[in-house]
Amino acid sequence: MRAAVVIGVDAVGGGLPRLQAAASGAEEVADWLRRSDYRVSLFTDREAPVERSQVFRAVADLVDAGTVERLVVYFAGHGFLKGPVEEFWLLSGAPADAAEAVNVVASGNMARYRGIPEVVFISDACRVAPVSGVHSGIAGASVFPNLPPSPRAAEIDYFYATRPGDPAFERSGTEAQAAHGLFTHELLQAHIDAPQEALLTIGNRDYVRSEWLRDVLADRVNMRAEGISLRLTQSPDLQVQIRRGCIALNEVSGGDLESRHQASGDPPASETESSFRLEWTEPDPIREVPRDRRRRPAVVGSTRGTSGRAGTTIGRVRGSTPPGPWIVGEAAKATEQFQERVRIIASPRRQRGQVLGDGYEPRLKCVGDLFGEIVPSAGLTFHPQSDVDDDVMTFQLVGRASEVAVRFADGSGMLLPVIREFACEVVRHEGRTLAVNYSWLPYFENGVKELRAEVLAAATLGLLDTTREAASELARRLRRLKRFDPMLGLVSALAYVLAGDLGGAASVRDHMRRDLGIDLFDAWMLGGAGGSPVSIRPALPLLSQSWSLLDIFGATVPEDLRKLERVPGFWTVFERSAMNEVAGLVRNG
């Protein structure tokens, strides 16, 4: 069975403008999916508010049924990002009710292990930072039930209307086309008279391949936005994991579904479907786009030729190499800019004196900020080491590893592992943790620094490609190098989990366990969270995204610690209000 949960919310509180087309766009998508034989649950705020409990119940019933082979979850409305791994769709009660929102990342993580083989998320919503402190307080929750994980991991496609940081433009009501989101419009238009190379034939019926959609939608939506206003640029973020995947049928303009079913030898799915006639509205002319492109256009920092098409010439950090295949297409420029910022903050100090000492004692350095307080675990002692610009601490460690709570100058802080023979460097800028690097003191192999900068920059910005092929290629490159920086291993394990490859994540955990003689919390959890024969450090996740995976993998963390306030971002950074409890956790062992 194919099923869909379709949501459209025009109006929310908190001073956000009322949308004109979210509800109507959702209704159109619901009709479109029904024509492809989906069982659709539709929720809009035309007549009553949309509540998260309604959406949750609809999804939970589909999970409980155990017969759904493909589930589409569509949302049109207001959305925002609190960080690269915290994304929310706002429902009618938000933001006054902080729980009345859909946590998109948590929903995707839950969906992976709920027994439905194929899940498709379609989001026609903004992905911008919160506009006020009120919006920053939204917590939301998953719309998938919290159940023991299914042994069958789903493949998941994400169709986002925009890249992170972009708004999702709506057409003006005076436009010739229906007034709904550009992305929804182009997605539906791409399923009318699609070319032969776009089609996937299943049971004598032609569907539009998701891989083809990935290749053409970015150009189509961006060009349509430019057609409305030269100031507008909208580039979708399309992450396709499902092999030979599709969403809906290819529809033929000017014909009815009954004649098409007769031509294909298939009976109509329903009376409603057989009587439906497509209404074709001639779109504004758009330039032809290549059909065989595998990557999305480089919009940020791109060049434009005389034809007006977006090119892919992007600036590079001096001496850098082309980005790896694990970075989504248009992310290359942003990733390089991030690497350059980290380099500028961290590099100039290296020539002012040797700060690592002569031995292999574990060290901790803060670049771009100061340590306000350091709380070591029992039996761990430290002493400061002089450096012109940075705080540097050397530890006397008993055993393979320990942990330390560090508070920065603004009162926020982190819980970090102290690992024998490793130096840790935390790079901070304007109150944000940009990077956490560990370097093996006995030997640091050539190439590690460059690859680490690229991978951690992409991960920190939320721009890693999460397809299975990209995750495998990333893990292959990091197989040896994660010995020199365990943070690379954590990113590799996370990429495997996001790609649905639990065996790959378990392999990373096992390799890191042999190398370090301990389990890092995130590697242990992402690798299955089974009983560990070695100690686990630190006591809480280092990666922000791991918090939304705790229940999925059965990792036990007390509820009061889960509720500690954290700063949005890739790394787990606790707010000032939470650091006393984190420090107490370390002191009490």
Side-chain angles (χ1 to χ4, degrees):
M1 178 177 73
R2 282 173 242 157
V5 175
V6 179
I7 311 159
V9 180
D10 283 328
V12 298
L16 292 174
R18 181 184 180 88
L19 300 175
Q20 301 300 313
S24 60
E27 291 169 347
E28 187 171 359
V29 168
D31 290 339
W32 170 63
L33 292 172
R34 289 187 185 107
R35 299 197 299 270
S36 290
D37 304 333
Y38 282 83
R39 172 185 160 187
V40 178
S41 298
L42 174 64
F43 302 95
T44 76
D45 62 345
R46 279 193 184 276
E47 298 180 357
V50 177
E51 299 177 352
R52 196 193 70 84
S53 60
Q54 299 171 321
V55 180
F56 175 85
R57 187 70 266 155
V59 173
D61 287 345
L62 294 171
V63 171
D64 292 342
T67 58
V68 177
E69 293 296 319
R70 182 190 306 143
L71 173 62
V72 172
V73 180
Y74 171 91
F75 176 81
H78 283 290
F80 69 87
L81 288 165
K82 289 173 66 176
V85 295
E86 292 186 275
E87 182 164 356
F88 299 90
W89 295 334
L90 304 191
L91 303 181
S92 301
D97 187 341
E100 281 300 301
V102 176
N103 187 320
V104 182
V105 174
S107 296
N109 290 338
M110 289 283 190
R112 179 78 66 186
Y113 305 104
R114 293 299 169 263
I116 299 176
E118 297 179 1
V119 180
V120 180
F121 287 91
I122 305 174
S123 175
D124 201 343
C126 298
R127 305 178 75 191
V128 295
V131 297
S132 73
V134 172
H135 302 114
S136 298
I138 289 177
S142 168
V143 292
F144 280 76
N146 183 21
L147 301 170
S150 166
R152 179 172 61 171
E155 292 181 305
I156 301 180
D157 288 350
Y158 292 93
F159 286 72
Y160 292 107
T162 69
R163 293 170 297 132
D166 281 352
F169 298 115
E170 288 192 317
R171 288 180 170 278
S172 164
T174 61
E175 291 291 326
Q177 299 290 348
H180 54 71
L182 287 175
F183 182 71
T184 295
H185 172 81
E186 294 300 332
L187 177 63
L188 270 59
Q189 288 291 318
H191 286 78
I192 300 175
D193 295 332
Q196 187 63 39
E197 64 266 25
L199 302 182
L200 174 66
T201 301
I202 302 175
N204 295 324
R205 303 177 74 181
D206 289 333
Y207 294 81
V208 177
R209 294 188 300 109
S210 295
E211 290 184 343
W212 180 81
L213 293 172
R214 176 195 61 196
D215 295 341
V216 303
L217 271 179
D219 282 311
R220 291 186 171 198
V221 172
N222 197 13
M223 291 174 185
R224 185 70 66 183
E226 289 178 337
I228 296 172
S229 169
L230 292 178
R231 296 188 303 273
L232 301 184
T233 300
Q234 179 176 337
S235 184
D237 180 5
L238 312 176
Q239 303 170 23
V240 176
Q241 293 184 4
I242 301 174
R243 289 160 286 191
R244 289 178 53 82
C246 60
I247 301 174
L249 287 165
N250 177 48
E251 300 180 332
V252 180
S253 60
D256 58 58
L257 290 176
E258 182 175 10
S259 61
R260 270 178 279 138
H261 284 310
Q262 290 173 352
S264 65
D266 292 325
S270 66
E271 185 62 27
T272 300
E273 179 177 290
S274 65
S275 61
F276 176 82
R277 181 178 294 274
L278 287 168
E279 296 295 333
W280 170 261
T281 305
E282 185 64 31
D284 299 333
I286 62 174
R287 293 175 291 273
E288 186 62 24
V289 297
R291 303 298 187 190
D292 58 350
R293 289 191 27 195
R294 301 290 297 178
R295 293 286 175 187
R296 300 186 289 283
V299 175
V300 178
S302 67
T303 60
R304 294 192 181 277
T306 56
S307 67
R309 271 190 50 77
T312 56
T313 302
I314 57 178
R316 298 201 179 281
V317 177
R318 184 170 58 254
S320 68
T321 56
W326 47 82
I327 301 177
V328 294
E330 76 275 7
K333 179 66 174 177
T335 301
E336 289 165 354
Q337 290 172 340
F338 186 90
Q339 292 178 62
E340 180 72 357
R341 178 182 297 179
V342 173
R343 186 187 67 79
I344 290 172
I345 295 169
S347 295
R349 301 167 173 81
R350 301 288 74 78
Q351 302 303 319
R352 296 192 178 184
Q354 178 68 17
V355 297
L356 294 182
D358 299 322
Y360 294 158
E361 296 89 355
R363 285 139 200 156
L364 175 62
K365 171 184 286 191
C366 185
V367 179
D369 203 344
L370 297 173
F371 291 132
E373 182 185 18
I374 293 181
V375 180
S377 59
L380 182 65
T381 60
F382 69 93
H383 59 272
Q385 200 168 355
S386 62
D387 183 70
V388 176
D389 297 288
D390 311 320
D391 269 2
V392 181
M393 304 294 165
T394 300
F395 293 91
Q396 299 298 319
L397 175 65
V398 177
R400 296 295 304 174
S402 186
E403 60 193 1
V404 60
V406 299
R407 197 190 302 261
F408 303 114
D410 63 359
S412 66
M414 300 183 71
L415 181 61
L416 296 168
V418 177
I419 308 173
R420 180 169 296 281
E421 296 185 344
F422 277 88
C424 173
E425 180 180 80
V426 180
V427 181
R428 301 263 298 168
H429 181 59
E430 296 180 349
R432 296 178 55 218
T433 297
L434 301 186
V436 178
N437 303 320
Y438 280 75
S439 299
W440 192 37
L441 294 170
Y443 180 71
F444 201 67
E445 184 166 314
N446 290 334
V448 174
K449 184 176 179 180
E450 291 76 14
L451 181 62
R452 175 172 68 187
E454 179 181 306
V455 171
L456 292 183
T460 300
L461 294 171
L463 297 174
L464 283 178
D465 189 333
T466 57
T467 61
R468 187 179 291 260
E469 292 77 11
S472 297
E473 174 62 17
L474 175 60
R476 186 188 68 78
R477 288 290 304 276
L478 299 182
R479 184 173 298 278
R480 288 178 53 256
L481 300 184
K482 62 180 178 286
R483 175 65 180 91
F484 304 101
D485 186 349
M487 299 303 100
L488 294 176
L490 299 191
V491 173
S492 181
L494 178 62
Y496 267 131
V497 167
L498 296 180
D501 188 347
L502 298 186
S507 175
V508 171
R509 176 205 61 201
D510 293 343
H511 278 88
M512 293 182 65
R513 180 181 291 169
R514 286 194 294 269
D515 288 340
L516 302 176
I518 64 165
D519 274 336
L520 293 181
F521 185 99
D522 302 76
W524 164 75
M525 184 194 70
L526 297 171
S532 177
V534 296
S535 64
I536 300 172
R537 300 289 183 172
L540 298 172
L542 269 170
L543 308 181
S544 288
Q545 193 151 354
S546 294
W547 290 87
S548 65
L549 296 164
L550 292 172
D551 290 329
I552 294 175
F553 292 104
T556 302
V557 172
E559 191 63 26
D560 57 336
L561 296 180
R562 296 188 187 210
K563 293 180 178 179
L564 293 176
E565 290 188 314
R566 302 187 299 274
V567 178
F570 180 74
W571 304 98
T572 295
V573 179
F574 296 98
E575 294 277 13
R576 174 197 295 265
S577 59
M579 277 308 298
N580 285 339
E581 191 159 353
V582 174
L585 174 71
V586 174
R587 289 192 185 98
N588 298 329

